[in-house]
Amino acid sequence: MPKIHDYDGPILEIDKLSISFFTRLHEIPAVMDFSVKVSPGEAVGLVGESGCGKSTVALGVMRDLGKNGRIVGGSVKFKGRDMAALSDAELRNLRGNEIAMIYQEPMASLNPAMRIGKQLMEVPMIHEGLSEHESYQRALEVVTDVKLPDPERILRSYPHQLSGGQQQRIVIAMALMSKPSLLILDEPTTALDVTVEAAVVELVKDLGKKYGTSMLFISHNLGLVLETCDRICVMYSGEAVERGDIETVFNNMQHPYTQALFRSIPLPGADKNSRPLVAIPGNFPLPHERPPGCNFGPRCDYFQAGLCDQDDITMKDVDGDGLHETRCLRFRDIDWNAPITLAQTKTKGEIGRVVLKMDNLKKYYEVAANALFGGGEKRVVKANETLSFEARESETLAIVGESGCGKSTFAKVLMGLETATDGEILLDGKNIEQIPIDKRDTKTVADIQMVFQNPFDTLNPSMAVGSQIMRALDIFGIGKNDAERRTRMLELLDLVKLPREFADRMPRQLSGGQKQRVGIARAFAGGARIVVADEPVSALDVSVQAAVTDLLMEIQRNEKTTLLFISHDLSIVRYLSDRVMVMYLGHVVELGSTDEVFSPPYHPYTEALLSAVPIADTHVTKKHIVLEGDIPSAMNPPSGCPFQTRCGWKSRVPGNLCEEEVPPVRQLKPGHQIKCHLSDEELANMEPVIKFGQEAAE
Amino acid sequence: MEPLTWFGAYGSSFGPLLLVLATLAITCGLCAALLAFIDNTPRASFSLFNGVAVLLLLLVGFTYVYGGLTGAEGGAMPLSTLGWMLGTLAALAVFAAMLAWFLDNFFDNPAAFMGILFKWAIYGVGAVVVLWLVVTLLWQGAAHKEWLAGFDAADMPPAEEIARHRYISRLESLGILANVAIRFTPVWIALVVLYGVSIRYKRRLGLYGKLFDSVIGMIGFGLVMFWVFTALFVGVFDMIATHAALEQASGMKNKLPGTPLMRAGPEEFPFYLLGGDNLARDIFSRMVYGSTIVIQIAPLATLFAFMVGITLGLPAGYYSGKLDTALSFLANLILAFPVILLFYLLVTPEIVQTGLPQYMAMVLFLFPLVFMGVLIQSRFRTQPQKNVIWIAVVLIPLFLLYAAAINDGGPDSKIRFWPLDFFDIPPGILVVFVAVVFVNSPTVFRIVRGLVMDIQTRDYVAAAQTRGERPWYIMLWEILPNARGPLIVDFCLRIGYTTILLGTLGFFGLGLPPESPDWGTTINEGRKLLSIYPHPALPPAFALLSLVLGLNLLADGLREESLKD
Ligand SMILES: Nc1ncnc2c1ncn2[C@@H]1O[C@H](COP(=O)(O)OP(=O)(O)OP(=O)(O)O)[C@@H](O)[C@H]1O
Ligand code: SF4
Ligand code: SF4
Ligand SMILES: [Mg+2]
């Protein structure tokens, strides 16, 4: 099929697009009055919280809204042609040939039963009628382009034989097979680890330049958008609220929501006392419960009754040149440079005595080498290798690492769901590493509790919120009867700042952040002294993350809790933790105070992690480190240093040391240890990864 | 006395209209279904079974209507007519297919168009039926008045005779269908009340209330509740039925629907509404009585199968490993056995003699006790006082029931140790019950096991583990409640299977005694003379079909509604 050539206007023009979903009870306006233009070769970012309509816009462009979705207003023009006027056949041709879409979940776009090569070759064979040979050549070319090793082998394999990162690269390759003029990426890296994400983002950027493809990049991560896009469009509750060049919007924002978003994410440049996180109050309105006037009104600091809650608000031009627009009535009255007013300065609790001590903890799993017949040879998976650290009262110890690094295993052993293979865990000087949870006394169980990652999974959907907390109280032996437990439960709801009425609500009636608060209340039901928080905010929206993080820290201050904060997000780790432990493939590769870990000398893996985390600050320049390949599987770890397959510093170590010997743990300073063969001079000469403002300008 | 006609005195004016509308409805319905199938729109998800069942129901109804219009004597309807009707239906289907193809070429959305037409034809049928009912009910006394007018004031017949004549002429002018409808009056009232209340408060009734948002679910629920209420009114108040289930009347052998009784007593209902069977018993009454047996056994047997399946499936899924391997192997072993063969085995007199069904009952009936015991124990582990009270309140009655159920005073009984044996289950029913539970529980086991393996990975299960909950608490209170959606749906479907299974059993002459009025047995009895007298087999078949269809539609509706939200 021919493509539309000789067109030099904008590739995509969305004009006042409105999309609604129709349910039995009501019409749900998911997108309202949304306009954006994508010029050739340009990347436009679409950011906003979950539920604000980002994906709906993408599906609307693809005209793939399902049974109950409908475009109720506005138009979408692709290369000047109105998509509404196209026939089904023309639309089909457009999709896949001129517009390609990449989804969050790579497996959703791949056929599990078909070889990669065949899936890739299908695209040009169907759309352009290329011969099999030509298609194969094209497939080989794009697979090489997406930087996959050994392209011919990849083409012969099935999707499940590849890792998540590789699958996502194949999806990108597939999208590029037809050389589309527009690529829509819907959260393409959310399912990936940070270092892998960094590599994929890098790839997308390069390919965009190479093929001249325009991109619509959907993400909730401001940092990622800054790294990839030329222009940005911020969405809130179905509307675009601010639109403009990325630099302009980041440095000179003109909408209170954009400002609130930036204030709620931790930026590396700022320290937690001078620039505390400010959570956006309240909750995201449901589409059919939007307030009159400005949608952001109820959560806006600059809200003016009688003005903001009247008529629908339209986009206003900021500078008169049509390049920067905002949907705020008061943007001229607001002093955008006013410093953040601090509610109160909080002093961190005194760090007390050692509560928890791990000494040479090891956890190995024995798995059958042959899954089908069970017996015979056994293989050992070393999920945790010689973990040693101490955690003190009122201290926050962050455990950082990507998937498969052994964080969850470590938590399981600590909680008593698994017993340790070797080593010791001392709780108040008592050994608990060999006591499974049903043998532990109630006090020990209540002392170590956990906050889980996925808010939608953390509460039993069939039990009222209050009953779940009361069950925990009951199990921990608190309160003599139900009445006492109920009182205590209500106090716990107060503690996590939830209204008491929530006791009788079912979990599905709560938002993600509220559920997470209930999860926290439940963890503290037995007066926990050690709380393991497994990525407690990573599944929440940015605007809610800050509030939940704050809550955790506040409870910690009052209760003198030891917080083991598991995360892969280094920004938040830097913001709230006292000490940081970096893990890779079951090994602790670096351990030290937050300042020590975040400034050179780094362990090479820490350095790569720091560089991979996207930062939403235009004043920051990062040293650019892209790791090759994926994280090896713990079933089949590399010899010598666990990080040697991806390490960029390996060549600086004489001989084959990195491949032959597991590096020893070295004390750089008292309390700061790394596991690396690099010599002291090499370490001393390391440069900081992140540079700010003037530093960077030099 | 004249035999009753199908539509009574006013049938000739409404019948043809009804026939035309019904034909239109069937054609359009078929057409829409075919088009939906071609387009593969969600409407095609209407399962194959339901489609066939609807068609069969339509066929039976249609045949009766046709028979009523053409047959000189009531429901005269030789098998050739049935064949003829089948032929007509096939022709209609072909016509519908051609129409569908034709429309597909000329219309934008022909399925929707045909669907609308179908809807209106159905409304038309409904309207005509209502009109006919109103007319029939309003003018039912006309013939009697005419008869009275034929007498002089002087030689009036005695008062009883007038009353009797009025009664009979009313029945005659109503016709068979209206009489049947009137017999079901208590059921209609109960249904109207139930629907009124449920729809009024549907927002407060959880999943049950949401059922009333789905037309399919409402129809299914209506069909099911129709038979539940029928069983209730027949079983408890002895309403609806016109004669006793085993009562025989001389000269009524194989008589057609609407035949009057030869010598009806003054208190007796003077007609066999749906005719007599080969032992001269009233088919209508037997069908109605049959519902009590079906409605009692099927849900209860399914419930027991669920108890067994859940109690074993939970630990199998939760612990996996060796326990799972062993239990799954056992389940597959039972499933691999042909069901009918298993039944034949279980009901062979020699096997019954050994007491095997009773011993099986002893094991299978224990599961609800175990289930309830563990349920309570795991919940109130930390509160011993409450625990004891609850266990006593629930388990003591359950144990009494259990002991009485497995003990039997009969001469062949193997288990009779319990002094308080206050009821006996008839041996036939016990065998059927045990057999049905036995073959159903492995499937339930597998479903539960799969659900547990899925739900087990959720964080709330991990949270329960980390606060030191015991495994059974996690299985019963954290996992099971969240598996309820698929289980409820399966429960509905499984009652349907069980009903069919009961029918099949009866059909093969297994289990229930030959004189039992349950639907399977009656269909089997009727089948023997089907080529000469089709009418005895049709009503129970119709009943069975409608109940199973109702259960399937209900399950469909529940599934659909539980997916929303
Ligand atoms: N029960 C088990 N049997 C065998 N191997 C296991 C088991 N549990 C964990 N592992 C392996 O141990 C390694 C560490 O796993 P773990 O779940 O602790 O990683 P993680 O850092 O928590 O990852 P993620 O962030 O994805 O949750 C993985 O390679 C995993 O495959
Ligand atoms: S219009 Fe008013 S409420 Fe809305 S963002 Fe602007 S100042 Fe806030
Ligand atoms: S030991 Fe070698 S491979 Fe490992 S991190 Fe250090 S330099 Fe890299
Ligand atoms: Mg994990």
Side-chain angles (χ1 to χ4, degrees), chain A residues 146-296:
Chain A
V146 294
K147 299 199 179 113
L148 281 169
D150 198 356
E152 305 200 2
R153 185 182 61 81
I154 297 267
L155 286 182
R156 276 196 311 275
S157 45
Y158 287 99
H160 68 89
Q161 295 169 322
L162 307 180
S163 72
Q166 288 175 331
Q167 284 171 357
Q168 196 61 291
R169 281 165 199 254
I170 290 295
V171 174
I172 294 171
M174 199 189 272
L176 293 174
M177 277 303 278
S178 56
K179 309 218 154 87
S181 358
L182 177 67
L183 196 57
I184 302 178
L185 303 105
D186 190 355
E187 309 253 5
T189 55
T190 311
L192 305 177
D193 275 309
V194 243
T195 54
V196 182
E197 170 184 83
V200 170
V201 164
E202 170 89 5
L203 173 77
V204 168
K205 259 179 6 190
D206 288 353
L207 291 177
K209 282 205 194 82
K210 178 172 171 195
Y211 288 88
T213 318
S214 309
M215 284 191 273
L216 190 60
F217 192 97
I218 298 174
S219 178
H220 63 268
N221 189 329
L222 285 168
L224 212 54
V225 170
L226 172 64
E227 289 191 359
T228 45
C229 298
D230 309 310
R231 290 198 305 126
I232 182 177
C233 175
V234 183
M235 281 187 82
Y236 182 78
S237 193
E239 293 174 328
V241 291
E242 185 163 6
R243 191 163 54 219
D245 279 349
I246 206 131
E247 301 268 328
T248 324
V249 173
F250 273 56
N251 298 332
N252 182 21
M253 55 199 73
Q254 293 293 323
H255 194 281
Y257 175 64
T258 318
Q259 184 188 46
L261 262 189
F262 275 95
R263 286 184 173 178
S264 65
I265 53 176
L267 292 177
D271 110 292
K272 52 184 150 186
N273 296 320
S274 67
R275 188 186 169 285
L277 293 193
V278 187
I280 307 180
N283 277 312
F284 195 75
L286 292 175
H288 54 273
E289 291 170 0
R290 292 192 181 116
C294 178
N295 283 340
F296 189 57

Side-chain angles (χ1 to χ4, degrees), chain B residues 45 78-79 83 87-88 95 116 127 140 152 183 198 232 247 263 339 350 357 383 416 427 430 467 498 529 543:
Chain B
S45 70
L79 199 68
T88 318
F95 173 63
I116 292 168
Q140 53 180 327
D152 288 338
R183 295 304 304 181
S198 304
L232 197 75
E247 183 187 302
R263 280 176 297 278
V339 178
E350 286 75 21
Q383 303 170 31
R416 50 169 113 184
L430 184 78
R467 66 169 185 263
T498 310
L529 292 173

Side-chain angles (χ1 to χ4, degrees), chain A residues 24 67 415 417 437 445 449 452 454 457-463 471 474-476 482 485 522, chain B residues 213 378-379 381-383 386 458-460 462-463 465-467 469 473 477-478 482 484 561 564:
Chain A
R24 232 173 353 208
K67 215 168 47 157
M415 313 291 308
L417 298 178
I437 189 150
V445 174
Q449 279 296 303
F452 292 88
N454 186 347
D457 231 22
T458 181
L459 300 180
N460 181 345
S462 318
M463 218 193 243
R471 175 71 194 180
D474 189 2
I475 282 293
F476 296 145
D482 278 349
R485 279 190 281 272
R522 188 179 57 187
Chain B
D213 285 336
S378 62
R379 181 80 170 90
R381 174 169 66 88
T382 46
Q383 303 170 31
K386 264 196 189 172
R458 303 292 165 87
D459 279 349
Y460 52 84
Q465 284 167 339
T466 55
R467 66 169 185 263
E469 297 284 9
Y473 176 86
W477 293 93
E478 301 278 343
N482 298 307
R484 67 176 186 275
E561 289 307 312
K564 290 177 187 166

Side-chain angles (χ1 to χ4, degrees), chain A residues 403-404 407-409 453 534:
Chain A
S403 75
K407 302 165 299 200
S408 304
T409 306
Q453 172 169 14
D534 188 354

